[in-house]
Short mmCIF file of all heavy atoms in Angstrom, two decimals:
data_model
loop_
_atom_site.label_atom_id
_atom_site.label_comp_id
_atom_site.label_asym_id
_atom_site.label_seq_id
_atom_site.Cartn_x
_atom_site.Cartn_y
_atom_site.Cartn_z
N PRO U 1225 -31.26 28.48 -19.82
CA PRO U 1225 -31.18 28.08 -21.23
C PRO U 1225 -29.87 27.34 -21.51
O PRO U 1225 -28.86 27.55 -20.83
CB PRO U 1225 -31.22 29.40 -22.00
CG PRO U 1225 -30.84 30.44 -21.02
CD PRO U 1225 -31.24 29.93 -19.66
N ARG U 1226 -29.92 26.47 -22.50
CA ARG U 1226 -28.73 25.67 -22.86
C ARG U 1226 -27.60 26.59 -23.31
O ARG U 1226 -27.80 27.50 -24.09
CB ARG U 1226 -29.10 24.70 -23.98
CG ARG U 1226 -27.96 23.79 -24.36
CD ARG U 1226 -28.40 22.81 -25.42
NE ARG U 1226 -29.34 21.83 -24.88
CZ ARG U 1226 -28.98 20.62 -24.49
NH1 ARG U 1226 -27.74 20.22 -24.63
NH2 ARG U 1226 -29.86 19.79 -24.01
N ARG U 1227 -26.41 26.30 -22.80
CA ARG U 1227 -25.24 27.10 -23.16
C ARG U 1227 -24.25 26.23 -23.92
O ARG U 1227 -24.13 25.04 -23.65
CB ARG U 1227 -24.54 27.64 -21.91
CG ARG U 1227 -25.40 28.60 -21.12
CD ARG U 1227 -24.69 29.10 -19.90
NE ARG U 1227 -24.52 27.99 -18.95
CZ ARG U 1227 -23.78 28.05 -17.87
NH1 ARG U 1227 -23.14 29.15 -17.57
NH2 ARG U 1227 -23.68 27.03 -17.06
N ASN U 1228 -23.55 26.85 -24.86
CA ASN U 1228 -22.50 26.17 -25.61
C ASN U 1228 -21.16 26.76 -25.19
O ASN U 1228 -20.94 27.96 -25.34
CB ASN U 1228 -22.70 26.35 -27.12
CG ASN U 1228 -23.95 25.65 -27.60
OD1 ASN U 1228 -24.29 24.60 -27.09
ND2 ASN U 1228 -24.64 26.26 -28.54
N HIS U 1229 -20.29 25.90 -24.67
CA HIS U 1229 -18.98 26.36 -24.21
C HIS U 1229 -17.94 26.10 -25.29
O HIS U 1229 -17.99 25.09 -25.99
CB HIS U 1229 -18.59 25.63 -22.92
CG HIS U 1229 -19.54 25.88 -21.79
ND1 HIS U 1229 -19.63 27.09 -21.14
CD2 HIS U 1229 -20.47 25.08 -21.20
CE1 HIS U 1229 -20.55 27.01 -20.20
NE2 HIS U 1229 -21.08 25.80 -20.22
N SER U 1230 -16.99 26.98 -25.38
CA SER U 1230 -15.92 26.84 -26.38
C SER U 1230 -14.97 25.72 -25.95
O SER U 1230 -14.85 25.41 -24.77
CB SER U 1230 -15.14 28.15 -26.52
OG SER U 1230 -14.40 28.40 -25.34
N PRO U 1231 -14.28 25.13 -26.93
CA PRO U 1231 -13.29 24.09 -26.59
C PRO U 1231 -12.20 24.60 -25.66
O PRO U 1231 -11.72 23.87 -24.79
CB PRO U 1231 -12.72 23.69 -27.94
CG PRO U 1231 -13.79 24.01 -28.92
CD PRO U 1231 -14.47 25.23 -28.36
N ALA U 1232 -11.82 25.87 -25.80
CA ALA U 1232 -10.79 26.43 -24.92
C ALA U 1232 -11.28 26.49 -23.47
O ALA U 1232 -10.52 26.19 -22.54
CB ALA U 1232 -10.41 27.83 -25.41
N PHE U 1233 -12.54 26.86 -23.29
CA PHE U 1233 -13.11 26.91 -21.94
C PHE U 1233 -13.17 25.51 -21.32
O PHE U 1233 -12.81 25.31 -20.16
CB PHE U 1233 -14.51 27.54 -21.98
CG PHE U 1233 -15.20 27.56 -20.65
CD1 PHE U 1233 -14.85 28.50 -19.69
CD2 PHE U 1233 -16.20 26.64 -20.35
CE1 PHE U 1233 -15.49 28.51 -18.44
CE2 PHE U 1233 -16.84 26.65 -19.11
CZ PHE U 1233 -16.48 27.59 -18.17
N LYS U 1234 -13.60 24.53 -22.14
CA LYS U 1234 -13.69 23.15 -21.65
C LYS U 1234 -12.32 22.64 -21.24
O LYS U 1234 -12.16 21.97 -20.21
CB LYS U 1234 -14.28 22.25 -22.73
CG LYS U 1234 -15.74 22.54 -23.03
CD LYS U 1234 -16.22 21.66 -24.17
CE LYS U 1234 -17.63 21.98 -24.57
NZ LYS U 1234 -18.10 21.13 -25.68
N ALA U 1235 -11.30 22.95 -22.04
CA ALA U 1235 -9.95 22.51 -21.73
C ALA U 1235 -9.46 23.17 -20.44
O ALA U 1235 -8.81 22.51 -19.61
CB ALA U 1235 -9.01 22.85 -22.88
N LYS U 1236 -9.78 24.43 -20.27
CA LYS U 1236 -9.36 25.16 -19.06
C LYS U 1236 -9.97 24.51 -17.82
O LYS U 1236 -9.28 24.29 -16.82
CB LYS U 1236 -9.81 26.62 -19.19
CG LYS U 1236 -9.45 27.50 -18.03
CD LYS U 1236 -9.93 28.92 -18.28
CE LYS U 1236 -9.67 29.82 -17.12
NZ LYS U 1236 -10.18 31.18 -17.34
N VAL U 1237 -11.26 24.19 -17.88
CA VAL U 1237 -11.94 23.58 -16.75
C VAL U 1237 -11.38 22.17 -16.49
O VAL U 1237 -11.10 21.80 -15.34
CB VAL U 1237 -13.46 23.52 -17.00
CG1 VAL U 1237 -14.17 22.75 -15.89
CG2 VAL U 1237 -14.04 24.92 -17.12
#
Side-chain angles (χ1 to χ4, degrees):
R1226 183 177 290 262
R1227 296 180 292 171
N1228 294 325
H1229 299 289
S1230 69
F1233 177 77
K1234 292 176 183 180
K1236 180 179 176 182
V1237 174

